[in-house]
Amino acid sequence: MTQAEEDAVTAVLRSGWLTTGPRVKELEAAVAAYVTPPAEAVAAGTADRARAETTPLHGVAVSSCTAALHLALIAVGVKEGDEVVTSPYTFVSTGETILYLGARPVFVDVEAGTKNMDPALLPSAITPKTRAIVTVSMAGHPCRAAEIAAIAHHHKLPVIEDAAHSLTARVWDVPVGTQADVTCFSFYATKGVTAGEGGMVITKRADWAERVRRLSLHGLSAAAWGRYDAGGWWEYDVTELGYKYNMTDIQAALGLVQIKRLHEMQARRHAIVSRYDAAFAGRPEIQTPTTRPGIDHAWHLYPIRLHLDRLRVNRSQFIDELRKRNIGASVHFIPIHFHPFYRDKYGYKPEDLPVASGEYQRLVSLPLNPRMSDADVNDVIEAVTDIAVANSR
Ligand SMILES: *Cc1c(COP(=O)(O)O)cnc(C)c1O
């Protein structure tokens, strides 16, 4: 956070308008503009699915990416008893929002390199009950949206992308926000752009955007700021069961400044990643993250994979050794089918999703954020190298 974020939030507090209002509208427009394919990409014909050229994108700000996923599922028509095909390699939001609707999450295994859904396995997961596909772009590496869209199109299924990690990610210059029918972003504290908490739905479908907006504020026919504005009117109708998922102007003001700083923050993430890649390239115990050709990686996370056959420690011990050297590391994520609630409810065994289960055992996310100094980066490199060398076999 810089002085600019503090000033923007203070201005909202002084304005007297705290909840959903003009700053939220601005953030919706800013994010929609940010993920609109650049003219050059459209001209070069790389813009995914030609509708991107002429159809403007709609953004609806909500209280979290979890709320965005929940409302996106409703908007595309998921109902009780339906199946929704998704990836196990994600944060639990992706699974739980499907369950909120009484639908069943059906997990498709991932590709080892990116931990994103493997499109080759998708067709066999689709049944007559399937109502939607939810893809995830893990760590900031876009999923195989074009292959998935082709399969979805064949089965007339909508695709929702959980792009919580991937606001700045691109595929052949096309931003992730246009690859799926609906894209959901997160402005949670640790994400690439934060509003403290927050989320956004991006879609080309004006009717879906309108529905999400209505559902995010109790299903009211007119938003509160329209009612209380000069010229506003007191009447409103509740047209369907809604939720309390709106974003505040305090959050949006913070998010707007962060978007302005995004270029600078991303440059720092990329610089840190280059240092890590160079430092670990020659270490046989460590595999650095994969980036497919044509991809601009958002680098939300830097997940290394341990070659466990070349180490005398397992992943947990490796993280413990990092902690002893004062380096905080984590694992993103424990696959959903490992969590007792999902495991017991659906009877999943690790071997049902062998790639996700196997990769999970060897992953370590190293520290990565724009506030890290060069000295911080050196500390991480030294600690990782030291542990790898000391425990090599
Ligand atoms: C953070 C995250 C979410 C949830 O975002 P919130 O804004 O905290 O609700 C969803 N999916 C993934 C993959 C995430 O990392």
Side-chain angles (χ1 to χ4, degrees):
M1 293 299 141
T2 65
Q3 189 65 44
E5 279 92 344
E6 288 186 23
D7 291 347
V9 169
T10 306
V12 171
L13 301 183
R14 291 188 176 147
S15 78
W17 193 274
L18 302 182
T19 185
T20 314
R23 294 289 89 77
V24 168
K25 283 267 167 259
E26 260 180 68
L27 183 68
E28 289 172 346
V31 174
Y34 187 84
V35 299
T36 294
E40 312 85 72
V42 174
T46 53
D48 185 49
R49 293 189 282 168
R51 283 176 300 156
E53 310 160 26
T54 48
T55 319
L57 294 172
H58 305 275
V60 183
V62 287
S63 52
S64 68
C65 182
T66 307
L69 289 164
H70 183 187
L71 299 185
L73 287 163
I74 299 176
V76 305
V78 173
K79 297 204 170 57
E80 193 170 349
D82 289 341
E83 290 177 0
V84 177
V85 179
T86 190
S87 165
Y89 219 102
T90 180
F91 186 59
V92 72
S93 302
T94 324
E96 73 193 3
T97 45
I98 296 166
L99 279 154
Y100 290 171
L101 298 176
R104 180 194 173 106
V106 175
F107 298 115
V108 168
D109 211 352
V110 297
E111 298 180 313
T114 59
K115 271 81 69 194
N116 290 333
M117 181 187 283
D118 185 345
L121 303 174
L122 176 57
S124 62
I126 295 173
T127 75
K129 284 182 161 184
T130 307
R131 190 58 87 97
I133 297 165
V134 181
T135 61
V136 183
S137 288
M138 262 300 298
H141 192 301
C143 64
R144 289 192 185 269
E147 285 109 309
I148 291 168
I151 298 163
H153 193 75
H154 178 73
H155 293 272
K156 298 191 167 56
L157 293 169
V159 181
I160 298 169
E161 180 167 344
D162 178 342
H165 301 174
S166 302
L167 180 59
T168 59
R170 283 161 191 254
V171 184
W172 303 113
D173 292 332
V174 178
V176 293
T178 45
Q179 318 265 317
D181 298 301
V182 186
T183 307
C184 300
F185 292 110
S186 174
F187 307 121
Y188 179 67
T190 60
K191 303 291 159 72
V193 159
T194 186
E197 295 275 2
M200 188 155 312
V201 170
I202 292 282
T203 179
K204 294 166 201 156
R205 287 276 299 258
D207 53 338
W208 288 352
E210 182 47 39
R211 180 108 188 269
V212 167
R213 190 180 299 288
R214 198 158 13 99
L215 291 170
S216 74
L217 202 65
H218 309 291
L220 299 190
S221 58
W225 76 304
R227 284 193 290 133
Y228 294 117
D229 242 6
W233 185 238
W234 57 270
E235 275 186 301
Y236 60 88
D237 293 317
V238 174
T239 52
E240 63 180 316
L241 178 67
Y243 301 86
K244 175 64 179 175
Y245 279 168
N246 59 308
M247 182 189 273
T248 69
D249 263 21
I250 303 171
Q251 293 166 284
L254 190 49
L256 278 163
V257 176
Q258 289 260 303
I259 295 222
K260 288 202 191 89
R261 292 185 48 220
L262 194 45
H263 187 70
E264 149 216 333
M265 293 194 294
Q266 270 311 108
R268 182 65 191 147
R269 282 182 189 269
H270 279 259
I272 296 168
V273 166
S274 300
R275 298 264 327 273
Y276 281 164
D277 278 349
F280 305 136
R283 286 249 57 87
E285 306 84 5
I286 291 167
Q287 193 174 1
T288 54
T290 341
T291 308
R292 281 204 318 271
I295 297 294
D296 285 337
H297 201 305
W299 293 119
H300 170 58
L301 301 169
Y302 188 84
I304 59 167
R305 289 182 285 166
L306 303 177
H307 284 299
L308 295 172
D309 53 338
R310 291 175 176 260
L311 283 164
R312 283 181 284 112
V313 287
N314 64 24
R315 186 266 313 278
S316 294
Q317 291 164 325
F318 197 95
I319 291 181
D320 208 41
E321 289 298 316
L322 282 169
R323 205 198 339 239
K324 284 184 195 152
R325 289 162 179 80
N326 215 17
I327 305 294
S330 192
V331 176
H332 298 87
F333 292 97
I334 301 170
I336 294 189
H337 66 291
F338 276 60
H339 291 296
F341 174 75
Y342 291 86
R343 187 190 61 207
D344 300 346
K345 188 172 171 69
Y346 297 116
Y348 274 113
K349 292 187 253 354
E351 57 270 29
D352 294 336
L353 299 156
V355 181
S357 304
E359 292 304 305
Y360 161 63
Q361 308 296 343
R362 48 194 289 247
L363 273 155
V364 179
S365 295
L366 297 182
L368 175 60
N369 70 69
R371 287 175 59 202
M372 290 175 75
S373 67
D374 286 343
D376 292 334
V377 178
N378 287 342
D379 288 346
V380 176
I381 291 172
E382 267 173 36
V384 169
T385 308
D386 184 40
I387 298 164
V389 170
N391 296 285
S392 186
R393 71 162 163 211

